[in-house]
């Protein structure tokens, strides 16, 4: 087969580039060599694509986990999902072709199970986190010690990439234990595995979020700061997209990313958008912090389902601060979505059934409806 010499030279150059550097983005090439010399061969082919990577996603059973597992599995990567609870992982199985999503039972205190989860992978994501302390795990256990065990396993098996999902406002001097432990988790990860990519998402919204769902659910919402805390809410799908790009672009190693949306809102402003979208006014009750914080602590300890916690009350008094040194969506060529453009998508389920977009039925339609009912019966 005759190939034009210039075209042939370009082909050779792109092949050589793909082989000679580990930092070249994978897009457009079918072979990619990782830092440790592992060849990654990818072939596009719909649901039967071959992605080439083997990726472990800790914390895949949570809200954000599905948005990255789905992207990785559907492009043909093998995704290892460490899990604790049988029923929480089922939806992930269908994200990819048969055999692409592999489950391993894991305990955050069981080093052997963590090592078993990472040893065959070339990329590891850690999305494990908790908003509140539980009976068995403090925030320190989850964000610092848990991270330490995972990163030690990553370093032991010389995994190519480690991506740690931390949090906005991660700060060792914060008044919130959540933000403090997230910052210490980052520090531990970087000290053991310096190539760690740190991702700090802002409060995320999406179908399974704890933002729009909390504001849309009927009932009394108890707060302490009149919902005046301000942040840049981010779309869960944008976070998934960013996490996937990091897998294919080795220049993101050792970097810190702050992922936040384009608009700054207070919770009260979001609550107003929610009320407008669902044609209803949800009741918000403001309690003084000195009463609500100790009560939240007692409720968190006494009840076995998530209600709130003293630290979550504390976080109501902390606005999001963006780290100017960190990279963001712009560096990944992603245009983040704005919350106000997606409220209909995520909140229509909360509308009362007496609100629908169709005009009232005519007499003729009502008669026909009766006929259909008769036929169905
Ligand atoms: P979720 O709470 O929905 O999921 C947390 C995940 O961590 C679950 O898979 C959960 O497993 C796992 N996990 C928690 N505690 C333990 C433990 N002790 N042992 C083993 N696994 C555990 O969180 P999101 O998906 O919303 O968030 C993902 C990450 O992003 C977290 O680290 C979170 O702190 C961070 N983040 C999230 C934000 C958001 O708005 N969603 C904002 C800022 C940061 P299981 O299902 O078994 O409970």
């Amino acid at each position: 087969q005759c190939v034009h010499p210039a075209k042939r030279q370009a082909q050779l150059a792109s092949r050589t580039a793909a082989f000679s550097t580990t930092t070249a983005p994978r897009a457009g090439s079918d072979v990619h060599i990782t830092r440790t010399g592992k060849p990654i061969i990818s072939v596009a082919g719909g649901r039967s694509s071959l992605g080439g990577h083997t990726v472990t996603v800790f914390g895949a059973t949570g809200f954000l986990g599905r948005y990255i597992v789905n992207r990785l599995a559907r492009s043909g990567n093998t995704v290892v999902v460490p899990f604790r609870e049988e029923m929480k992982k089922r939806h992930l199985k269908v994200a990819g072709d048969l055999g692409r999503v592999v489950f391993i039972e894991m305990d955050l205190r069981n080093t052997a199970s963590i090592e078993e989860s990472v040893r065959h992978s070339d990329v590891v994501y850690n999305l494990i986190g908790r908003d509140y302390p539980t009976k068995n795990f403090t925030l320190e256990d989850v964000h610092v010690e848990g991270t330490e065990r995972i990163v030690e396993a990553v370093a032991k098996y010389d995994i190519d990439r480690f991506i740690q999902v931390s949090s906005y406002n991660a700060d060792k001097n914060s008044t919130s234990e959540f933000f403090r432990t997230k910052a210490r988790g980052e520090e531990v990860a970087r000290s053991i595995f310096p190539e760690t990519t740190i991702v700090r998402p802002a409060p995320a919204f999406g179908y399974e979020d704890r933002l729009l769902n909390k504001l849309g659910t009927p009932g009394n919402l108890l707060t302490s700061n009149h919902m005046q805390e301000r942040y840049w809410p981010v779309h869960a799908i944008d976070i998934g997209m960013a996490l996937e790009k990091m897998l294919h672009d080795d220049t993101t190693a050792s970097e810190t990313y702050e992922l936040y949306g384009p608009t700054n809102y207070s919770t009260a402003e979001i609550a107003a958008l929610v009320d407008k979208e669902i044609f209803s006014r949800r009741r918000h009750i403001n309690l003084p912090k000195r009463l609500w914080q100790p009560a939240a602590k007692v409720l968190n300890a006494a009840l076995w389902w998530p209600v709130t916690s003293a630290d979550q009350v504390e976080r109501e008094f902390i606005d999001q601060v963006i780290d100017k040194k960190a990279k963001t969506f712009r560096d990944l060529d992603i245009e983040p979505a704005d919350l106000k453009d997606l409220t209909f998508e995520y909140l229509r389920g909360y509308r009362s059934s007496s609100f629908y977009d169709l005009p009232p039925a005519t007499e003729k339609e009502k008669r026909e409806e009766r006929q259909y009912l008769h036929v169905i019966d």
Side-chain angles (χ1 to χ4, degrees), residues 186-201:
E186 291 181 2
E187 202 176 66
V188 162
R190 278 267 163 83
S191 68
I192 300 172
F193 192 80
E195 297 86 0
T196 300
T197 304
I198 288 169
V199 179
R200 297 183 187 141

Side-chain angles (χ1 to χ4, degrees), residues 59-65 84 88 106 108 127-130 137 142 165-168 178 182 201-204 210:
T61 52
F63 159 43
L64 293 177
R84 305 192 285 181
K88 282 197 174 177
M106 187 259 339
L108 203 51
L127 280 82
I128 288 183
R130 252 310 158 253
F137 289 90
V142 179
V165 178
S166 178
S167 170
Y168 69 101
F178 179 87
K182 280 287 189 185
R210 294 180 291 276

Side-chain angles (χ1 to χ4, degrees), residues 147-198:
T147 303
E148 188 172 2
R149 278 193 203 102
I150 292 172
V151 193
E152 272 171 357
V154 166
K156 180 173 172 186
Y157 289 96
D158 198 14
I159 309 293
D160 290 293
R161 296 285 311 277
F162 177 63
I163 297 157
Q164 164 77 2
V165 178
S166 178
S167 170
Y168 69 101
N169 281 357
D171 175 6
K172 277 201 302 181
N173 302 316
S174 175
T175 50
S176 151
E177 192 190 355
F178 179 87
F179 294 143
R180 281 200 307 274
T181 51
K182 280 287 189 185
R184 294 203 30 235
E186 291 181 2
E187 202 176 66
V188 162
R190 278 267 163 83
S191 68
I192 300 172
F193 192 80
E195 297 86 0
T196 300
T197 304
I198 288 169

Side-chain angles (χ1 to χ4, degrees), residues 334-351:
I334 296 174
E335 191 68 48
D338 196 337
L339 181 137
K340 72 172 181 324
D341 300 329
L342 289 159
T343 46
F344 173 72
E345 175 72 20
Y346 293 123
L347 289 164
R348 61 183 156 178
Y350 285 106
R351 285 182 176 187

Side-chain angles (χ1 to χ4, degrees), residues 250-267:
D250 286 349
T251 61
T252 57
S254 315
E255 298 288 351
T256 301
Y257 286 83
E258 292 251 354
L259 302 182
Y260 52 93
T263 312
N264 183 272
Y265 294 93
S266 69
T267 307

Side-chain angles (χ1 to χ4, degrees), residues 278-292:
I278 64 177
F279 300 113
S280 176
R281 269 185 68 83
R282 296 292 186 232
R283 198 167 333 129
H284 309 122
I285 301 172
N286 205 73
L287 297 171
K289 184 180 174 187
R290 71 193 143 76
L291 294 181
W292 182 221

Side-chain angles (χ1 to χ4, degrees), residues 7 16 82 118 125 135 160 186-188 207 233 243 299 341:
K7 198 175 167 193
T16 321
V118 305
Y125 288 88
K135 183 159 61 76
D160 290 293
E186 291 181 2
E187 202 176 66
V188 162
Y207 280 115
L243 291 175
L299 285 176
D341 300 329

